[in-house]
Amino acid sequence: MGRPHIEFIQSQVLPWRKGLYGGARPDVHHKILSIDKKNLDSSLLVRYPERWKRAKTEHLLVDEEIYVLDGELTINDHVYKKDTYAHFPAGYVRRRASAKNGAVVLTFYSGKPTARAGKPEDKKLYDAKRLVEYHNIYDVAWSQKIKRDPKSKFNAQGISLQILRTDPYTKERTWLFGSTGFWEGGNVEIHPVVEESYMLSGSMVGTYGERKPGGYFWRPPGLEHGPLGSSMGCFMFFRCLGGPLTTKFIDKGTYSWYPKYRPTLPRDLRPYAKKAYTGNRTY
């Protein structure tokens, strides 16, 4: 089945729902950004209440990938504050977990998030090569060496990347993208894999309108998008799924700094996007 094309929805307009599908964490709230209704892999916002706690040892049967948007979440010996990241492979053991003052976490599951009890010594349950236990974006340098097709008009000046994770087997990748103000990409783009993104700050304009903080898209392979640009600069979270990300640039399309909001959404999300979001919150 796969996930439908979502481009784009502001997460602020979506409702918070009690619990978490799969039953692993009934005492949190979540917003579903996108989900495969057959395989149950998903992208969510998860809100942990103040004094949330898990004292028992457990592991999930699927991968869990997190990026903290607000507050802090403690898992084992690490405290994940705002702008910290982790990727826990299926079977990664959580000896303890808590959110003393609450947290809002951008979260990705590779399937139905079902928890199982375990022992602290259960280290052989997960593939250690796929583990990114802790990543603080302020401790890692940004790369300004952007690969580009020399025949394209893509503008690589004024943008930088920080790689959060590259899968050792599939080469799927998670990264951060930043741009300066008044950056213009210059080309239409096509990727052979899924591209997914969440706006963390600033804004980006393109074919579907102006994506502000909290703006989310899920783009299936092979879809044209762009040209893109950012008048105030932007900071975005990205993932690609289905293999490594490569880009084909096409020299066409027109560009506007003031595009109308014209989303492409599945039927269940359309009622939430009747009006363009005008605020500036992150979630």
Side-chain angles (χ1 to χ4, degrees), residues 1-257:
M1 177 182 293
R3 304 193 209 178
H5 185 195
I6 297 173
E7 192 149 14
F8 56 90
I9 189 76
Q10 290 290 150
S11 65
Q12 297 88 344
V13 304
L14 300 175
W16 288 104
R17 303 181 188 277
K18 177 69 174 176
L20 185 65
Y21 78 102
R25 293 164 193 162
D27 47 358
V28 303
H29 287 83
H30 75 278
K31 293 184 179 187
I32 294 179
L33 301 173
S34 67
I35 187 169
D36 185 320
K37 294 182 179 180
K38 181 179 179 180
N39 297 326
L40 297 181
D41 53 290
S42 64
S43 304
L44 312 170
L45 293 178
V46 179
R47 184 174 67 191
Y48 295 84
E50 291 185 12
R51 296 183 293 278
W52 180 86
K53 188 174 183 180
R54 280 286 187 277
K56 63 181 181 180
T57 299
E58 65 179 23
H59 62 271
L60 297 183
L61 301 183
V62 297
D63 295 352
E64 181 179 33
E65 192 169 7
I66 65 171
Y67 187 93
V68 178
L69 300 177
D70 195 16
E72 63 181 49
L73 181 66
T74 299
I75 300 175
N76 295 341
D77 299 322
H78 292 288
V79 178
Y80 300 90
K81 297 184 178 182
K82 186 178 184 296
D83 296 322
T84 56
Y85 166 87
H87 178 274
F88 306 118
Y92 176 81
V93 176
R94 295 155 175 78
R95 301 185 304 277
R96 56 187 174 272
S98 62
K100 182 179 179 181
N101 298 312
V104 177
V105 182
L106 185 60
T107 304
F108 308 89
Y109 294 112
S110 64
K112 183 179 179 180
T114 303
R116 291 286 184 268
K119 300 177 181 178
E121 61 269 22
D122 287 341
K123 296 182 178 180
K124 295 182 179 181
L125 292 174
Y126 69 92
D127 186 343
K129 292 181 180 180
R130 300 184 64 244
L131 173 66
V132 179
E133 197 161 31
Y134 178 85
H135 181 110
N136 187 329
I137 72 168
Y138 301 105
D139 294 338
V140 180
W142 288 70
S143 172
Q144 295 181 328
K145 296 180 180 179
I146 311 300
K147 293 182 180 180
R148 61 180 291 272
D149 182 346
K151 296 180 181 180
S152 79
K153 293 183 179 179
F154 179 74
N155 178 18
Q157 300 298 315
I159 62 175
S160 57
L161 306 177
Q162 183 176 137
I163 305 302
L164 303 178
R165 168 184 177 264
T166 300
D167 190 278
Y169 308 110
T170 66
K171 305 305 177 183
E172 295 175 341
R173 179 171 287 181
T174 302
W175 70 98
L176 299 175
F177 172 101
S179 86
T180 59
F182 296 100
W183 174 80
E184 293 184 61
N187 276 117
V188 170
E189 303 177 20
I190 300 178
H191 308 300
V193 295
V194 168
E195 187 179 32
E196 178 179 27
S197 177
Y198 191 92
M199 182 68 71
L200 298 169
S201 65
S203 73
M204 178 72 76
V205 296
T207 309
Y208 300 92
E210 180 182 11
R211 189 160 62 104
K212 297 182 178 182
Y216 169 84
F217 72 71
W218 171 277
R219 186 184 297 138
L223 296 182
E224 293 187 4
H225 54 283
L228 304 170
S230 178
S231 61
M232 65 178 67
C234 64
F235 177 39
M236 294 185 284
F237 180 99
F238 274 94
R239 296 200 312 157
C240 67
L241 296 96
L245 181 77
T246 59
T247 304
K248 178 181 178 181
F249 295 103
I250 304 174
D251 184 12
K252 72 173 189 179
T254 57
Y255 184 78
S256 169
W257 286 110

